[in-house]
Amino acid sequence: MSDVITSPEIEMISDLEVTEAIDAVCAQVRRNLTTFTHAAQNHSSVDNFYPAVPNDQWTAGFWPGSIWLAYEATGDIAFRAAAEVQVQSFLKRIENRIATDHHDMGFLYTPSCTAAWKLTENLDGRWAALLAADQLIERFQEKGQFLQAWGPMGEPGNYRYIIDCLMNLPLLYWASAETNNPVYREKALAHTRTTLAHSIRKDFSTYHTFFFDPETGAPAGGATKQGYRDESAWTRGQAWGISGLAYCYRYDPNPHYIATFEKLLAYYLERLPADLVPYWDLTFVDGDEPRDSSSAAVVACGLLEMANHVGINRAGEMRALARRMLGSLWRDYAVRDPKVSNGLLLHGTYSKKTPFNSCRGEGVNECVAWGDYFYFEGLTRLARSWNSYW
Ligand code: GLY
């Protein structure tokens, strides 16, 4: 393991700090209910403040996920009522297929609607999540055996999956268990096999996206959209890979997932700066490039999930490392003053434009919706035994 893990410089977050952090987060979520009960949060903040937007982005599920976590932490019915308004918006979105021409049904429907079902037996939440699972398996490409990430099905420029999609698969596993229909699970397993075969390089860095030949289904090569360049390791892609394997292991306890998780994690840890919060691409290990705090939150949650599935000694190391990461986030990245931001976690990076990538460039050094959510999920996992939404 990297020296960073045993570094005494970053202290583990204590139980008292976890309580303080959750109190701070719940207070911020409560303040935000006024603006965001009947609206969605933008994918990222603008000068640290999220604008209200319609429910049409891939990121809209994270805010209701945070509301559900706040409801669990406090038992306050005001949170539940607001989350239920969100569930209705998500039901309308999937029934009318509003901005659903992509694979992020798990990111959208797990924290919002599966959570609603699991926590409160909300039938609309269950139905919306099942409709979302139906939409997701429609994106399965037999030629290549993957869930197409973006755009109209079969479009040559979009004949690819992205590593992030591992996090969408728990929705499919859940749907199979819920309906006794194996088809969702079969697609999830096939997509995972494809991801493990093609996304991971020899050094255990990862490609963000991977293309196939639409005619033959033959692998056509890796590329980036949001990373620095095609052959670099986009930090959040690596983080989604790490946590995606941990979250899928719960449904498919394949030892290969643990072995690969460890390798991806080792690559990631070797490139962390001293405070355990990575730069936005793992090409960068020091200097002035923006950080991506959201990746640290995602990896902390992956560690806490995987700790449930490994031996006691390794589980202890994983939990200690997650506590260090969350300690760093709470002390130096968390929002403590609502005048500074209406988010939860500062210094995330959504998409940084470079001469070598194809993203638009937005949300750099800002709060990002999934960073807030996974920070809160990580704190929740430390606070008590948590029944996962995923
Ligand atoms: N899944 C897209 C992102 O992490 O930005």
Side-chain angles (χ1 to χ4, degrees):
M1 291 204 300
S2 153
D3 288 348
V4 163
I5 303 169
T6 51
S7 162
E9 287 163 37
I10 303 298
E11 285 188 20
M12 290 190 268
I13 192 167
S14 67
D15 289 344
L16 181 61
E17 286 178 304
V18 169
T19 303
E20 287 170 0
I22 289 179
D23 286 350
V25 163
C26 288
Q28 185 76 315
V29 172
R30 188 185 298 282
R31 279 188 286 270
N32 280 336
L33 291 180
T34 315
T35 311
F36 299 109
T37 293
H38 296 278
Q41 283 186 336
N42 196 43
H43 47 67
S44 46
S45 62
V46 178
D47 295 331
N48 290 331
F49 283 84
Y50 289 104
V53 293
N55 182 353
D56 62 7
Q57 300 178 354
W58 70 270
T59 52
F62 298 115
W63 159 243
S66 293
I67 306 177
W68 282 122
L69 291 173
Y71 173 59
E72 284 200 81
T74 62
D76 187 335
I77 193 75
F79 290 121
R80 176 172 170 170
E84 286 171 350
V85 172
Q86 290 283 325
V87 168
Q88 291 308 312
S89 168
F90 277 79
L91 177 61
K92 180 172 156 232
R93 179 167 175 179
I94 192 66
E95 282 181 336
N96 295 286
R97 298 273 175 127
I98 298 168
T100 55
D101 217 3
H102 60 81
H103 67 154
D104 279 326
M105 295 302 114
F107 280 136
L108 283 170
Y109 282 86
T110 299
S112 59
C113 292
T114 312
W117 167 242
K118 288 186 177 177
L119 289 174
T120 67
E121 299 186 4
N122 184 311
L123 286 169
D124 284 343
R126 178 181 181 277
W127 180 236
L130 289 174
L131 291 177
D134 285 339
Q135 186 277 357
L136 183 50
I137 59 171
E138 285 172 21
R139 298 191 67 79
F140 190 77
Q141 293 288 11
E142 290 295 336
K143 286 183 182 167
Q145 297 282 297
F146 64 93
L147 294 158
Q148 186 183 314
W150 300 309
M153 288 297 285
E155 196 176 59
N158 271 317
Y159 208 74
R160 62 175 159 180
Y161 73 87
I162 70 176
I163 192 165
D164 321 27
C165 191
L166 288 175
M167 293 292 288
N168 288 318
L169 304 184
L171 177 73
L172 298 184
Y173 290 119
W174 168 82
S176 270
E178 200 64 25
T179 60
N180 277 325
N181 180 349
V183 69
Y184 307 99
R185 180 181 174 86
E186 286 163 8
K187 302 300 182 210
L189 291 171
H191 181 88
T192 307
R193 276 194 296 276
T194 304
T195 303
L196 290 174
H198 298 296
S199 291
I200 302 168
R201 303 188 188 100
K202 284 197 169 48
D203 63 357
F204 293 96
S205 66
T206 50
Y207 286 114
H208 178 199
T209 88
F210 198 91
F211 282 100
F212 292 82
D213 181 328
E215 299 304 322
T216 64
T224 202
K225 183 170 183 189
Q226 287 158 267
Y228 177 67
R229 60 186 171 90
D230 287 344
E231 292 304 321
S232 71
W234 177 48
T235 304
R236 203 164 50 260
Q238 194 85 8
W240 292 137
I242 291 165
S243 292
L245 288 171
Y247 283 33
C248 288
Y249 185 87
R250 171 189 290 273
Y251 295 99
D252 180 31
N254 178 340
H256 187 47
Y257 294 5
I258 299 184
T260 308
F261 171 98
E262 293 283 15
K263 298 284 193 189
L264 299 190
L265 179 68
Y267 185 93
Y268 172 91
L269 294 177
E270 280 163 14
R271 284 153 185 84
L272 288 186
D275 73 354
L276 307 180
V277 176
Y279 293 92
W280 69 279
D281 189 289
L282 294 172
T283 297
F284 307 111
V285 293
D286 54 26
D288 294 332
E289 288 289 329
R291 303 295 183 101
D292 181 23
S293 59
S294 73
S295 295
V298 169
V299 170
C301 288
L303 284 162
L304 292 171
E305 176 61 38
M306 197 52 114
N308 298 325
H309 310 295
V310 295
I312 189 165
N313 291 340
R314 185 66 186 123
E317 290 173 346
M318 288 182 181
R319 291 193 179 106
L321 177 55
R323 275 190 182 268
R324 288 197 169 96
M325 290 175 171
L326 287 162
S328 185
L329 293 179
W330 162 238
R331 290 177 211 120
D332 293 325
Y333 291 80
V335 174
R336 288 157 182 272
D337 177 354
K339 291 197 284 302
V340 169
S341 172
N342 63 357
L344 304 181
L345 196 63
L346 301 167
H347 309 304
T349 293
Y350 179 19
S351 294
K352 185 165 191 278
K353 184 82 195 107
T354 77
F356 318 111
N357 70 21
S358 59
C359 72
R360 274 206 295 269
E362 51 196 339
V364 176
N365 195 21
E366 294 285 352
C367 302
V368 291
W370 56 92
D372 287 3
Y373 169 80
F374 284 104
Y375 170 61
F376 196 179
E377 182 184 304
L379 294 170
T380 302
R381 284 173 179 269
L382 291 179
R384 62 180 180 280
S385 166
W386 182 63
N387 185 17
S388 175
Y389 303 160
W390 299 87

